[in-house]
Amino acid sequence: MPLVSSLIPPLDNVKDQFWSLWLRILDNNKNIESTLLRHKKTAIPLAVVLGSLYVVYRKLILPPPQLRHLPRAGFFKYVGSLFSCRPFEETFKEITGPLAAKTDHGIYAAFGPSGWTAYITRPESAKKFLLKTDLFPKRTMPKYKKDSMAGRFIMGPNVIFLPHGPQWKNQRGILNPAFHRSMPIHLFGELAQKLFVQLDKSGDSFSIDTFDVMTRWTLDAIGIAGFDFNFNAITEKDNEWVTRYEEINNASAQPLFVLFAFLDSPYLRFLFPKRAKAHHELDLFLAKLQQIITHKRGVLTNSNGKTNTNKATNEKDLLTLMLEAAEAEGGKLTDDEIMANLCGFFTAGHDTTACALSNAMYNLAIHPEVQKKAREDAIRVLGDEPVDVLPTAEQLKEMTYIQMFIKENLRRNIFAQNIISRSTPEDTELDGCVIPKGTVLTMDMMGLHRNPKIWTNPDEFDPERFAPGGEAENIAKNNGMAWMPFSNGPRMCIGVNFSLNEQRVFISMLLRKYELSLPDDSPHKEYIITSGIELLKPVDLRVNLKRRY
C-alpha cells in the first residue's frame, strides 16, 4: 500500500514525488543489472508501470509548455471537481473565477475535454477570438475521438465541427436558407398546449421536475421540426425511441469518456459493457435517421424538388428544407453530411433549450416581481381569456419584456460551460497575453457572463440590463462580446433564432396558464445545482405550478 499511495500524489509535488520514488528504487538496488536479472518477473512490470505513469504525467497532469505562463487550475483539484458532479457554480466561485481575476487579460488554463486548454473570460479577447477565424480556426477532431460516442453522434462532417474551408462553406451556404425558412412557431404552440393537457391531469396545483418535462417537450419539438419524426415523449415517457435517445444522450455526457475519449475506442470498449450497449443503441438510432433521409430523398425526387406542399414553408421540417435548399442552390450534401448536420442540430437544439427553459422556470419562480412583469407582457399581447392562445411570429416580437427576461436568463444561468475549442496555427496575442502556436483555446461562458469588470452586480438576476439603451447595449458598444450564449461571429450557432422563438412561445404560454413558485424544501434556493462537464443540467429542479384557468 505505501507504494500505491506514493504513485498517486497531489499535483503540487507530483514531479518531485515521482523522481523521489524512482531514486529510492535505484538506491535500493545497488547492482541494477543483477537485480533485474534476479527479479525480472517483477522488475519489468514495475518499469512498465513507471513508464506509463511518466507518460500520463507528461501528457495529462503537466500542462504543455505553451500554457505554463498562465494561471492554471490544479489537475486533480479541477478534474476531481468535475468528476464529483459538484455544481459548476461552486467550481466557478472557488477555482476558475479566482484564476480569471488574477490577470488583466483574464485567461487561465485548465484540463478539459480537449486536454489542457486556455480559457477566455474577457469580451475584448472574445471578439478577436471569434471573429479572427484565420488566427483561431476550429480544430480538426483527433482520430481517437472519431469512434467515441460523441464523435459518432455529433462530431461528424457538419457546420458545427468542420474547420473553415470549402466543405464548411458549401454546407453553410445550403443550410443558411434552410434555417431562415424553418420557424415552426405554430408547432411550438401546439406542443405546449399538448404538454399542458398532460400536466393538468395532476390537478390544479402540483410540482414538476422541470428538466424531465422540458427534455420531453423539446425532444418532440426537435424530432418533428428536425426530420418529421415524433418521439411522442410528451405522452409516452418511456417508449422505445425516447428510452433509446436518453441512453445515447446520457452516455455521450459521461465525465470519464468526455475527458478521456480514448477509453471509448473500439479496442477498449470491451472493458465497459454498458458502453458497448450504448454504442449499439446509437447504431439503431443512426440507422433510423438514414431510413428517414433515404425516404425524404425519394419523395423529393418523385415530386420534382418540392415536398410537404400542404405545409407552410416555415413549418416544414429541417431535413426537407435542407434537401430543397441543396436543390435550389445547385449544391450537394452527401448522406453523411446530412446525417452529421441533423445529429448536430438535434443535440445542440435539444438539451440546450431544455436547460434554458428549466433555468427560466426557476428564475420565474424565485423572482415573483419578474414573473409578474413577464406575465403582464404576455397578457398585453395575447389577452387574458382562460384558453390557450398560440402566439404568432409577429406577436412574439411585441413581447419586449419576455425577450429581456430570456436574455438575462441566458446570461445569468448558462447551459454550456464553453464553446467548441479552437487552436492557434501561429504565435499571436489576446489582450496583451501571448498565445503561442499550438495552444488550444475556448470561451469560459460563466467567466464571461459573470465578469464583475464588465457587468454590474453580475450574480443578480436583472432583465432590465437588456432594456433598450441599458447596460447590455452599452457593453456591446464599448467592450466587445460579453453576451454570447450561442457564440458569435461566422461560427455562431445556426439555430439561434429557432431556439429563441421556441423559448418565447413556451414561456409566454406558460405564464398565461400557470403561476410558478419554488417548493419550500428546494435545495436550489441559493442557485441551481447542476451536473455535467460541457452541458450544465439542473439536478432534480422542481417547481410548483398553480393553474390560472
Side-chain angles (χ1 to χ4, degrees), residues 273-285:
K274 289 184 179 179
R275 199 72 183 170
K277 181 179 181 298
H279 275 274
H280 175 65
E281 295 297 325
L282 179 57
D283 291 338
L284 297 175
F285 185 84

mmCIF file with all atom_site columns, all heavy atoms in Angstrom, residues 273-285:
data_model
loop_
_atom_site.group_PDB
_atom_site.id
_atom_site.type_symbol
_atom_site.label_atom_id
_atom_site.label_alt_id
_atom_site.label_comp_id
_atom_site.label_asym_id
_atom_site.label_entity_id
_atom_site.label_seq_id
_atom_site.pdbx_PDB_ins_code
_atom_site.Cartn_x
_atom_site.Cartn_y
_atom_site.Cartn_z
_atom_site.occupancy
_atom_site.B_iso_or_equiv
_atom_site.pdbx_formal_charge
_atom_site.auth_seq_id
_atom_site.auth_comp_id
_atom_site.auth_asym_id
_atom_site.auth_atom_id
_atom_site.pdbx_PDB_model_num
ATOM 1   N N   . PRO A 1 273 ? -18.865 -2.856 -20.630 1.00 0.00 ? 273 PRO A N   1
ATOM 2   C CA  . PRO A 1 273 ? -20.033 -3.474 -21.291 1.00 0.00 ? 273 PRO A CA  1
ATOM 3   C C   . PRO A 1 273 ? -21.199 -2.516 -21.505 1.00 0.00 ? 273 PRO A C   1
ATOM 4   O O   . PRO A 1 273 ? -21.862 -2.551 -22.545 1.00 0.00 ? 273 PRO A O   1
ATOM 5   C CB  . PRO A 1 273 ? -20.419 -4.610 -20.328 1.00 0.00 ? 273 PRO A CB  1
ATOM 6   C CG  . PRO A 1 273 ? -19.166 -4.916 -19.582 1.00 0.00 ? 273 PRO A CG  1
ATOM 7   C CD  . PRO A 1 273 ? -18.447 -3.614 -19.442 1.00 0.00 ? 273 PRO A CD  1
ATOM 8   N N   . LYS A 1 274 ? -21.456 -1.635 -20.542 1.00 0.00 ? 274 LYS A N   1
ATOM 9   C CA  . LYS A 1 274 ? -22.558 -0.677 -20.699 1.00 0.00 ? 274 LYS A CA  1
ATOM 10  C C   . LYS A 1 274 ? -22.274 0.285  -21.843 1.00 0.00 ? 274 LYS A C   1
ATOM 11  O O   . LYS A 1 274 ? -23.190 0.738  -22.536 1.00 0.00 ? 274 LYS A O   1
ATOM 12  C CB  . LYS A 1 274 ? -22.786 0.095  -19.397 1.00 0.00 ? 274 LYS A CB  1
ATOM 13  C CG  . LYS A 1 274 ? -23.402 -0.746 -18.292 1.00 0.00 ? 274 LYS A CG  1
ATOM 14  C CD  . LYS A 1 274 ? -23.699 0.118  -17.067 1.00 0.00 ? 274 LYS A CD  1
ATOM 15  C CE  . LYS A 1 274 ? -24.340 -0.704 -15.960 1.00 0.00 ? 274 LYS A CE  1
ATOM 16  N NZ  . LYS A 1 274 ? -24.610 0.117  -14.747 1.00 0.00 ? 274 LYS A NZ  1
ATOM 17  N N   . ARG A 1 275 ? -20.998 0.563  -22.027 1.00 0.00 ? 275 ARG A N   1
ATOM 18  C CA  . ARG A 1 275 ? -20.619 1.461  -23.120 1.00 0.00 ? 275 ARG A CA  1
ATOM 19  C C   . ARG A 1 275 ? -20.883 0.797  -24.474 1.00 0.00 ? 275 ARG A C   1
ATOM 20  O O   . ARG A 1 275 ? -21.365 1.432  -25.413 1.00 0.00 ? 275 ARG A O   1
ATOM 21  C CB  . ARG A 1 275 ? -19.131 1.808  -23.004 1.00 0.00 ? 275 ARG A CB  1
ATOM 22  C CG  . ARG A 1 275 ? -18.730 3.051  -23.780 1.00 0.00 ? 275 ARG A CG  1
ATOM 23  C CD  . ARG A 1 275 ? -19.250 4.268  -23.121 1.00 0.00 ? 275 ARG A CD  1
ATOM 24  N NE  . ARG A 1 275 ? -18.944 5.483  -23.873 1.00 0.00 ? 275 ARG A NE  1
ATOM 25  C CZ  . ARG A 1 275 ? -19.456 6.664  -23.588 1.00 0.00 ? 275 ARG A CZ  1
ATOM 26  N NH1 . ARG A 1 275 ? -20.300 6.791  -22.589 1.00 0.00 ? 275 ARG A NH1 1
ATOM 27  N NH2 . ARG A 1 275 ? -19.160 7.728  -24.311 1.00 0.00 ? 275 ARG A NH2 1
ATOM 28  N N   . ALA A 1 276 ? -20.544 -0.479 -24.562 1.00 0.00 ? 276 ALA A N   1
ATOM 29  C CA  . ALA A 1 276 ? -20.792 -1.215 -25.799 1.00 0.00 ? 276 ALA A CA  1
ATOM 30  C C   . ALA A 1 276 ? -22.284 -1.253 -26.125 1.00 0.00 ? 276 ALA A C   1
ATOM 31  O O   . ALA A 1 276 ? -22.690 -1.122 -27.287 1.00 0.00 ? 276 ALA A O   1
ATOM 32  C CB  . ALA A 1 276 ? -20.228 -2.625 -25.684 1.00 0.00 ? 276 ALA A CB  1
ATOM 33  N N   . LYS A 1 277 ? -23.112 -1.399 -25.091 1.00 0.00 ? 277 LYS A N   1
ATOM 34  C CA  . LYS A 1 277 ? -24.560 -1.419 -25.301 1.00 0.00 ? 277 LYS A CA  1
ATOM 35  C C   . LYS A 1 277 ? -25.052 -0.056 -25.806 1.00 0.00 ? 277 LYS A C   1
ATOM 36  O O   . LYS A 1 277 ? -25.903 0.024  -26.705 1.00 0.00 ? 277 LYS A O   1
ATOM 37  C CB  . LYS A 1 277 ? -25.276 -1.772 -23.991 1.00 0.00 ? 277 LYS A CB  1
ATOM 38  C CG  . LYS A 1 277 ? -26.805 -1.846 -24.117 1.00 0.00 ? 277 LYS A CG  1
ATOM 39  C CD  . LYS A 1 277 ? -27.447 -2.229 -22.795 1.00 0.00 ? 277 LYS A CD  1
ATOM 40  C CE  . LYS A 1 277 ? -28.965 -2.334 -22.918 1.00 0.00 ? 277 LYS A CE  1
ATOM 41  N NZ  . LYS A 1 277 ? -29.593 -1.041 -23.293 1.00 0.00 ? 277 LYS A NZ  1
ATOM 42  N N   . ALA A 1 278 ? -24.500 1.018  -25.250 1.00 0.00 ? 278 ALA A N   1
ATOM 43  C CA  . ALA A 1 278 ? -24.893 2.356  -25.686 1.00 0.00 ? 278 ALA A CA  1
ATOM 44  C C   . ALA A 1 278 ? -24.524 2.579  -27.151 1.00 0.00 ? 278 ALA A C   1
ATOM 45  O O   . ALA A 1 278 ? -25.281 3.202  -27.911 1.00 0.00 ? 278 ALA A O   1
ATOM 46  C CB  . ALA A 1 278 ? -24.227 3.418  -24.809 1.00 0.00 ? 278 ALA A CB  1
ATOM 47  N N   . HIS A 1 279 ? -23.388 2.055  -27.568 1.00 0.00 ? 279 HIS A N   1
ATOM 48  C CA  . HIS A 1 279 ? -22.986 2.170  -28.977 1.00 0.00 ? 279 HIS A CA  1
ATOM 49  C C   . HIS A 1 279 ? -23.945 1.397  -29.877 1.00 0.00 ? 279 HIS A C   1
ATOM 50  O O   . HIS A 1 279 ? -24.235 1.827  -31.001 1.00 0.00 ? 279 HIS A O   1
ATOM 51  C CB  . HIS A 1 279 ? -21.554 1.680  -29.164 1.00 0.00 ? 279 HIS A CB  1
ATOM 52  C CG  . HIS A 1 279 ? -20.508 2.724  -28.889 1.00 0.00 ? 279 HIS A CG  1
ATOM 53  N ND1 . HIS A 1 279 ? -20.085 3.617  -29.840 1.00 0.00 ? 279 HIS A ND1 1
ATOM 54  C CD2 . HIS A 1 279 ? -19.831 3.025  -27.755 1.00 0.00 ? 279 HIS A CD2 1
ATOM 55  C CE1 . HIS A 1 279 ? -19.172 4.428  -29.315 1.00 0.00 ? 279 HIS A CE1 1
ATOM 56  N NE2 . HIS A 1 279 ? -18.996 4.089  -28.048 1.00 0.00 ? 279 HIS A NE2 1
ATOM 57  N N   . HIS A 1 280 ? -24.431 0.275  -29.383 1.00 0.00 ? 280 HIS A N   1
ATOM 58  C CA  . HIS A 1 280 ? -25.412 -0.483 -30.156 1.00 0.00 ? 280 HIS A CA  1
ATOM 59  C C   . HIS A 1 280 ? -26.707 0.318  -30.310 1.00 0.00 ? 280 HIS A C   1
ATOM 60  O O   . HIS A 1 280 ? -27.307 0.339  -31.406 1.00 0.00 ? 280 HIS A O   1
ATOM 61  C CB  . HIS A 1 280 ? -25.702 -1.823 -29.472 1.00 0.00 ? 280 HIS A CB  1
ATOM 62  C CG  . HIS A 1 280 ? -26.793 -2.606 -30.140 1.00 0.00 ? 280 HIS A CG  1
ATOM 63  N ND1 . HIS A 1 280 ? -26.686 -3.119 -31.418 1.00 0.00 ? 280 HIS A ND1 1
ATOM 64  C CD2 . HIS A 1 280 ? -28.054 -2.944 -29.702 1.00 0.00 ? 280 HIS A CD2 1
ATOM 65  C CE1 . HIS A 1 280 ? -27.813 -3.748 -31.739 1.00 0.00 ? 280 HIS A CE1 1
ATOM 66  N NE2 . HIS A 1 280 ? -28.646 -3.644 -30.715 1.00 0.00 ? 280 HIS A NE2 1
ATOM 67  N N   . GLU A 1 281 ? -27.127 0.988  -29.242 1.00 0.00 ? 281 GLU A N   1
ATOM 68  C CA  . GLU A 1 281 ? -28.318 1.833  -29.327 1.00 0.00 ? 281 GLU A CA  1
ATOM 69  C C   . GLU A 1 281 ? -28.102 2.971  -30.321 1.00 0.00 ? 281 GLU A C   1
ATOM 70  O O   . GLU A 1 281 ? -29.023 3.350  -31.059 1.00 0.00 ? 281 GLU A O   1
ATOM 71  C CB  . GLU A 1 281 ? -28.663 2.398  -27.943 1.00 0.00 ? 281 GLU A CB  1
ATOM 72  C CG  . GLU A 1 281 ? -29.068 1.358  -26.912 1.00 0.00 ? 281 GLU A CG  1
ATOM 73  C CD  . GLU A 1 281 ? -30.343 0.619  -27.303 1.00 0.00 ? 281 GLU A CD  1
ATOM 74  O OE1 . GLU A 1 281 ? -31.234 1.241  -27.914 1.00 0.00 ? 281 GLU A OE1 1
ATOM 75  O OE2 . GLU A 1 281 ? -30.442 -0.586 -27.023 1.00 0.00 ? 281 GLU A OE2 1
ATOM 76  N N   . LEU A 1 282 ? -26.887 3.508  -30.346 1.00 0.00 ? 282 LEU A N   1
ATOM 77  C CA  . LEU A 1 282 ? -26.578 4.562  -31.306 1.00 0.00 ? 282 LEU A CA  1
ATOM 78  C C   . LEU A 1 282 ? -26.637 4.032  -32.742 1.00 0.00 ? 282 LEU A C   1
ATOM 79  O O   . LEU A 1 282 ? -27.118 4.724  -33.645 1.00 0.00 ? 282 LEU A O   1
ATOM 80  C CB  . LEU A 1 282 ? -25.188 5.149  -31.015 1.00 0.00 ? 282 LEU A CB  1
ATOM 81  C CG  . LEU A 1 282 ? -24.717 6.254  -31.960 1.00 0.00 ? 282 LEU A CG  1
ATOM 82  C CD1 . LEU A 1 282 ? -25.691 7.422  -31.988 1.00 0.00 ? 282 LEU A CD1 1
ATOM 83  C CD2 . LEU A 1 282 ? -23.318 6.736  -31.564 1.00 0.00 ? 282 LEU A CD2 1
ATOM 84  N N   . ASP A 1 283 ? -26.176 2.796  -32.952 1.00 0.00 ? 283 ASP A N   1
ATOM 85  C CA  . ASP A 1 283 ? -26.284 2.177  -34.286 1.00 0.00 ? 283 ASP A CA  1
ATOM 86  C C   . ASP A 1 283 ? -27.735 2.160  -34.757 1.00 0.00 ? 283 ASP A C   1
ATOM 87  O O   . ASP A 1 283 ? -28.030 2.486  -35.917 1.00 0.00 ? 283 ASP A O   1
ATOM 88  C CB  . ASP A 1 283 ? -25.749 0.743  -34.249 1.00 0.00 ? 283 ASP A CB  1
ATOM 89  C CG  . ASP A 1 283 ? -24.242 0.662  -34.054 1.00 0.00 ? 283 ASP A CG  1
ATOM 90  O OD1 . ASP A 1 283 ? -23.562 1.656  -34.362 1.00 0.00 ? 283 ASP A OD1 1
ATOM 91  O OD2 . ASP A 1 283 ? -23.766 -0.381 -33.579 1.00 0.00 ? 283 ASP A OD2 1
ATOM 92  N N   . LEU A 1 284 ? -28.645 1.781  -33.867 1.00 0.00 ? 284 LEU A N   1
ATOM 93  C CA  . LEU A 1 284 ? -30.064 1.709  -34.221 1.00 0.00 ? 284 LEU A CA  1
ATOM 94  C C   . LEU A 1 284 ? -30.633 3.101  -34.502 1.00 0.00 ? 284 LEU A C   1
ATOM 95  O O   . LEU A 1 284 ? -31.432 3.285  -35.425 1.00 0.00 ? 284 LEU A O   1
ATOM 96  C CB  . LEU A 1 284 ? -30.848 1.036  -33.084 1.00 0.00 ? 284 LEU A CB  1
ATOM 97  C CG  . LEU A 1 284 ? -30.484 -0.421 -32.782 1.00 0.00 ? 284 LEU A CG  1
ATOM 98  C CD1 . LEU A 1 284 ? -31.247 -0.919 -31.556 1.00 0.00 ? 284 LEU A CD1 1
ATOM 99  C CD2 . LEU A 1 284 ? -30.780 -1.314 -33.982 1.00 0.00 ? 284 LEU A CD2 1
ATOM 100 N N   . PHE A 1 285 ? -30.220 4.083  -33.710 1.00 0.00 ? 285 PHE A N   1
ATOM 101 C CA  . PHE A 1 285 ? -30.712 5.449  -33.896 1.00 0.00 ? 285 PHE A CA  1
ATOM 102 C C   . PHE A 1 285 ? -30.246 6.012  -35.240 1.00 0.00 ? 285 PHE A C   1
ATOM 103 O O   . PHE A 1 285 ? -31.030 6.609  -35.989 1.00 0.00 ? 285 PHE A O   1
ATOM 104 C CB  . PHE A 1 285 ? -30.221 6.335  -32.750 1.00 0.00 ? 285 PHE A CB  1
ATOM 105 C CG  . PHE A 1 285 ? -30.764 7.737  -32.777 1.00 0.00 ? 285 PHE A CG  1
ATOM 106 C CD1 . PHE A 1 285 ? -32.006 8.021  -32.235 1.00 0.00 ? 285 PHE A CD1 1
ATOM 107 C CD2 . PHE A 1 285 ? -30.029 8.782  -33.335 1.00 0.00 ? 285 PHE A CD2 1
ATOM 108 C CE1 . PHE A 1 285 ? -32.515 9.310  -32.257 1.00 0.00 ? 285 PHE A CE1 1
ATOM 109 C CE2 . PHE A 1 285 ? -30.537 10.071 -33.362 1.00 0.00 ? 285 PHE A CE2 1
ATOM 110 C CZ  . PHE A 1 285 ? -31.782 10.334 -32.819 1.00 0.00 ? 285 PHE A CZ  1
#
